[in-house]
Amino acid sequence: MTRGDRRSTAAPAPDPAASAVPPPAPAGAAKDAPRDAPASPGHAPAPPTPSPPSAGRGTSALRDRVRHAGLPYLLLVPALVLELLVHIVPMITGITMAFRDLTQEYIRNWGAAPWAGLDNFHIAVDVNAPVGEALLRSFAITCAFTVLAVGLAWLLGATAAILMQDTFRGRGLLRALFLTPYALPVYAAVITWSFLLQRDNGLVNHVLHDQLGLTDAPPFWLVGDNSFFSLVVVSVWRTWPFAFLMLTAALQNIPRDVYEASAIDGAGMWRQIRHITLPALRPVNQVLVLVLFLWTFNDFNVPFVLFGKSAPESADLISLHIYQSSFATWDFGAGSAMSVLLLLFLLLVTAAYLLLTRERAPRATRSCGTRRRKRAHV
Amino acid sequence: MSEGVPTPASATSTASAAPAASTRGASADSPRGAPAASTRGAAPDRLGRRARRTAGGARRSGRAGAARSPMAAPVSFLWTRRILLTLLAVFAATPLYVMLSSSLKPLQDVTGSFRWIPAHLTIRPYLDIWETVPLGRYFLNSFIVSAAATLCSVVVATFAAYAVSRYRFRGKRVFTVTVLSTQMFPGILFLLPLFLLFVNIGNATGIALYGSRGALILTYMTFTLPLSIWMLAGYFDSIPRDLDEAAQVDGCGALGALFRVLVPAATPGIVAVGIYAFMTAWGEVLFASVMTNDVTRTLSIGLQGYSTQTEVYWNQVMAASLVVSVPIVAGFLLLQRYLVAGLTAGSVK
């Protein structure tokens, strides 16, 4: 999509979007306007232009300035329209839905659903009632699952990335193998795992029971308490290659002379890893851990494919829980209230995380890096 | 997983690495590097001088060889690496092996106790998967949806990333923060409202979005947009401004500079974004489970068709999983170096 005649590849591209987006005009205008009509109403969607478009008609210098002020907004219009339609508007809708008594009969015309005030939230957080209790349990399970899965995924990814920083025979092949679980479509990977975890004909029980004889009877892995660990293993298997990929990319940015200098100073392999590699990874870790946390916490795909629509209690992740309680009872108001609570929680955690890590991360790495480099030039 | 001598980069370094490795254990108490001094004669001059200057000359002789191959490793490290990487490889490969071997077994062999080595081999499952469920149609649907979503996402993200990377404008921060923060919202929060929105748009305008491929394309392209913009903007930032400014001076115009200079220069980043978008769309389950019907069903939901029968055709499930994975895994592995390059520029600043 990048080779050949750029103009012609660019021109038809927005069309599929245009056919799907109800207001397609701005998407088309975004491209054409700056070329043919410098100060035309094509600039209208750009909200705060410093000078009104009509003023630019006088001199070419002024026109250029208007063009420059408007162009970034025009370039953003397609993205903005999509974000508004698919993210922002539904989100606001979702938040308003949480305050309505939105049950099955109002699906076709949800605007007619009566306002419910905070009722939905009361139901969701009332720990003594069954709904609130189930939500709280699901939340606790999700927290435990996320901590375990993210920690393990990061650990495996970092281990592999650091051990494979140096070239050795077969490294390319091994890297391809490690990345394959991440490249597999979720459902294909998880269906395969569900076969491995079958009680009677799965590999896990074959190894544990038949070959090693660790259990008296073949245990169930997809129902009951064991399903929590199944979920963790499957999730780690799928996500650790992503940590590996990100950290591998980050390791390539560490300048070689830092290692050389420290080696001259007498730092051994393990000290280099502890004092150069790990601190240099800190900025990437900041993003990586956050992304892993959000993906894992919100994970719907893995439990949905692994357990089907009804997850066992011990593996009832919050996304699946909300999905089930919304579509099982068609009480979308309560489901939305739960989603909003989930969103608030994620916002809080993310904000706290960013505040905490911003304080420390850059200073630590910079001081370490410069100290090393300074020593190298003594 | 056998390993060679770490980074024998050149003839000189192999020559010096061998004694260095053999003396490593004792290097701490070896007398002031007589052996190292002899090998360093062949080493690059700059390095040798720097080494001599640190702390009174050739301290720690063994490390002088390690300086050129910074990761020339002690034996403990090599064994740790061997063991850990073998364990990881087994963990990563086992399900892949099971997928492959079970897809070649007849049905009675996958319903009984598991066997590592298949007793009988057959390609029957690969022929049956197309009959049991309309896999061909699911395949086509997934391909149309993923390809369209990827194409649109890349184009839209390129425009937006160009604006974010090259222009200062009011609201830029608000835009980037808002767009990126949508990344953390749970998909479940959007699911119900989008579902209602598409149903209501359908009722109001007659455009049947709900259940159509268009709705999925629209959803997927938007969901991949935030990370795509972020990665691409990072990539554009790494390209010197002089390049596209020179093109603009030559009369290219802003868009000319984008398409003739920036886009060719940012090909790795754009490919990376494309891979990411395609993989996301190809693997998505949540929205596909609600927004598709029998005609527009994609692979992510369609594959579950083998499991809802009275009997689960595990060999066919594995064969179908393999068939739908091969194109995407092959593409990913072929293009992964672009992904690493794109991530490096986008995330590590």
Side-chain angles (χ1 to χ4, degrees):
Chain A
M1 66 209 82
T2 59
R3 262 173 258 132
D5 184 4
R6 322 239 175 259
R7 231 167 256 268
S8 72
T9 48
D15 282 353
S19 65
V21 187
K31 281 183 308 77
D32 302 332
R35 258 205 311 264
D36 339 316
S40 71
H43 287 270
T49 355
S51 54
S54 56
R57 214 155 270 164
T59 63
S60 68
L62 250 181
R63 207 185 303 161
D64 273 1
R65 268 180 51 196
V66 174
R67 261 172 78 159
H68 268 271
L71 187 61
Y73 297 105
L74 284 172
L75 291 167
L76 286 180
V77 164
L80 273 178
V81 169
L82 285 170
E83 287 295 331
L84 276 177
L85 185 78
V86 179
H87 275 148
I88 309 296
V89 170
M91 196 179 72
I92 295 167
T93 315
I95 293 171
T96 45
M97 274 163 56
F99 295 96
R100 285 177 188 263
D101 192 12
L102 189 63
T103 48
Q104 192 171 5
E105 43 205 291
Y106 298 107
I107 295 284
R108 292 269 151 193
N109 183 17
W110 66 276
W115 290 96
L118 289 172
D119 283 0
N120 289 324
F121 291 93
H122 281 307
I123 295 171
V125 297
D126 183 5
V127 191
N128 296 319
V131 175
E133 194 193 344
L135 184 70
L136 185 69
R137 202 195 48 232
S138 165
F139 175 75
I141 288 168
T142 311
C143 287
F145 164 75
T146 307
V147 170
L148 261 178
V150 171
L152 283 173
W154 182 87
L155 193 68
L156 297 190
T159 308
I162 290 172
L163 292 180
M164 290 169 74
Q165 192 179 5
D166 193 13
T167 44
F168 56 87
R169 217 184 312 145
R171 185 176 73 153
L173 208 67
L174 205 56
R175 184 184 283 175
L177 170 65
F178 285 172
L179 290 178
T180 303
Y182 174 65
L184 282 184
V186 191
Y187 44 88
V190 179
I191 284 179
T192 306
W193 269 102
S194 78
F195 177 52
L196 263 75
L197 294 165
Q198 290 293 308
R199 179 173 179 266
D200 296 324
N201 54 350
L203 172 139
V204 173
N205 274 349
H206 177 62
V207 171
L208 292 183
H209 182 72
D210 301 347
Q211 295 191 315
L212 299 177
L214 293 178
T215 50
D216 297 333
F220 286 98
W221 292 104
L222 296 176
V223 284
D225 290 346
N226 287 340
S227 46
F228 177 79
F229 300 102
S230 307
L231 195 60
V232 172
V233 170
V234 178
S235 172
V236 168
W237 187 80
R238 264 197 52 72
T239 47
W240 81 266
F242 179 74
F244 169 64
L245 189 70
M246 288 281 281
L247 293 171
T248 301
L251 285 178
Q252 289 175 356
N253 276 18
I254 303 177
R256 262 185 114 70
D257 60 349
V258 179
Y259 286 111
E260 290 169 1
S262 76
I264 290 162
D265 286 355
M269 197 73 218
W270 297 110
R271 289 195 57 179
Q272 287 185 341
I273 289 175
R274 190 148 26 102
H275 294 288
I276 300 177
T277 312
L278 288 179
L281 287 180
R282 203 167 286 183
V284 183
N285 279 335
Q286 190 201 0
V287 180
L288 177 64
V289 170
L290 182 65
V291 168
L292 283 179
F293 164 76
L294 292 171
W295 283 356
T296 311
F297 203 94
N298 291 329
D299 197 5
F300 173 84
N301 298 338
V302 172
F304 183 76
V305 181
L306 198 58
F307 304 118
K309 293 197 173 171
S310 56
E313 278 196 0
S314 68
D316 190 17
L317 294 194
I318 194 119
S319 283
L320 194 60
H321 184 84
I322 296 175
Y323 180 92
Q324 279 168 357
S325 42
S326 303
F327 281 96
T329 61
W330 291 88
D331 188 350
F332 284 4
S336 299
M338 295 179 194
S339 305
V340 170
L341 289 174
L342 173 61
L343 176 64
L344 285 178
F345 170 75
L346 292 175
L347 278 175
L348 264 175
V349 171
T350 308
Y353 176 83
L354 289 179
L355 275 179
L356 278 175
T357 50
R358 189 180 295 167
E359 285 298 303
R360 267 173 297 161
R363 215 182 304 143
T365 36
R366 206 180 305 132
S367 68
C368 180
T370 47
R371 206 182 307 143
R372 296 277 164 198
R373 224 162 293 153
K374 241 182 258 159
R375 214 180 287 173
H377 294 294
V378 168
Chain B
M1 246 136 307
S2 61
E3 295 147 13
V5 177
T7 59
S10 64
T12 55
S13 76
T14 350
S16 64
S22 61
T23 57
R24 175 146 299 114
S27 67
D29 29 49
S30 75
R32 328 202 114 212
S38 66
T39 51
R40 206 184 295 119
D45 189 39
R46 190 174 56 85
L47 241 184
R49 225 182 306 138
R50 191 193 289 167
R52 232 162 294 149
R53 254 186 260 152
T54 39
R59 190 188 57 163
R60 304 279 162 94
S61 61
R63 310 294 181 201
R68 239 164 305 113
S69 51
M71 285 291 178
V75 177
S76 66
F77 179 81
L78 287 182
W79 274 105
T80 314
R81 177 164 82 186
R82 251 169 233 161
I83 293 168
L84 288 181
L85 289 186
T86 307
L87 288 177
L88 276 174
V90 170
F91 180 50
T94 305
L96 304 176
Y97 170 75
V98 170
M99 191 194 273
L100 177 67
S101 66
S102 302
S103 72
L104 294 167
K105 291 176 183 175
L107 186 60
Q108 71 266 19
D109 285 9
V110 288
T111 46
S113 182
F114 182 83
R115 290 177 63 105
W116 283 96
I117 313 288
H120 313 90
L121 287 178
T122 171
I123 58 158
R124 197 73 232 156
Y126 286 92
L127 306 174
D128 290 342
I129 48 173
W130 309 94
E131 312 282 324
T132 314
V133 300
L135 190 66
R137 194 172 67 215
Y138 300 155
F139 223 104
L140 190 68
N141 283 333
S142 268
F143 183 77
I144 293 173
V145 167
S146 307
T150 304
L151 198 64
C152 301
S153 178
V154 166
V155 171
V156 172
T158 304
F159 283 122
Y162 181 50
V164 170
S165 168
R166 289 299 194 257
Y167 290 92
R168 298 160 141 244
F169 54 92
R170 214 180 302 165
K172 177 169 164 176
R173 218 183 133 64
V174 175
F175 174 79
T176 44
V177 169
T178 311
V179 165
L180 260 187
S181 61
T182 59
Q183 193 64 29
M184 77 181 187
F185 297 164
I188 193 81
L189 177 69
F190 300 108
L191 180 70
L192 309 178
L194 259 184
F195 169 71
L196 290 184
L197 195 73
F198 286 155
V199 168
N200 281 305
I201 286 179
N203 286 349
T205 64
I207 305 170
L209 273 176
Y210 172 62
S212 73
R213 295 191 195 103
L216 271 191
I217 293 172
L218 198 61
T219 313
Y220 291 168
M221 66 185 284
T222 314
F223 273 73
T224 53
L225 212 47
L227 259 187
S228 303
I229 294 174
W230 183 62
M231 268 165 70
L232 265 186
Y235 212 92
F236 286 163
D237 282 345
S238 72
I239 298 168
R241 269 161 187 272
D242 305 353
L243 274 183
D244 47 301
E245 273 164 13
Q248 291 209 36
V249 170
D250 289 350
C252 250
L255 287 181
L258 172 62
F259 285 113
R260 293 195 189 153
V261 179
L262 270 182
V263 166
T267 306
I270 290 172
V271 172
V273 166
I275 304 169
Y276 159 73
F278 196 89
M279 277 174 48
T280 309
W282 192 260
E284 209 280 334
V285 177
L286 175 59
F287 285 81
S289 79
V290 174
M291 297 214 187
T292 55
N293 55 30
D294 285 343
V295 181
T296 58
R297 184 144 301 154
T298 53
L299 286 171
S300 52
I301 303 305
L303 270 200
Q304 293 176 16
Y306 298 100
S307 316
T308 53
Q309 325 281 341
T310 45
E311 195 176 13
V312 184
Y313 303 122
W314 281 116
N315 53 348
Q316 290 188 43
V317 175
M318 294 298 109
S321 300
L322 200 76
V323 166
V324 305
S325 303
V326 162
I328 197 135
V329 171
F332 176 82
L333 292 181
L334 280 177
L335 299 172
Q336 48 120 335
R337 67 195 172 88
Y338 288 107
L339 196 60
V340 172
L343 282 174
T344 315
S347 65
V348 193
K349 277 187 279 185

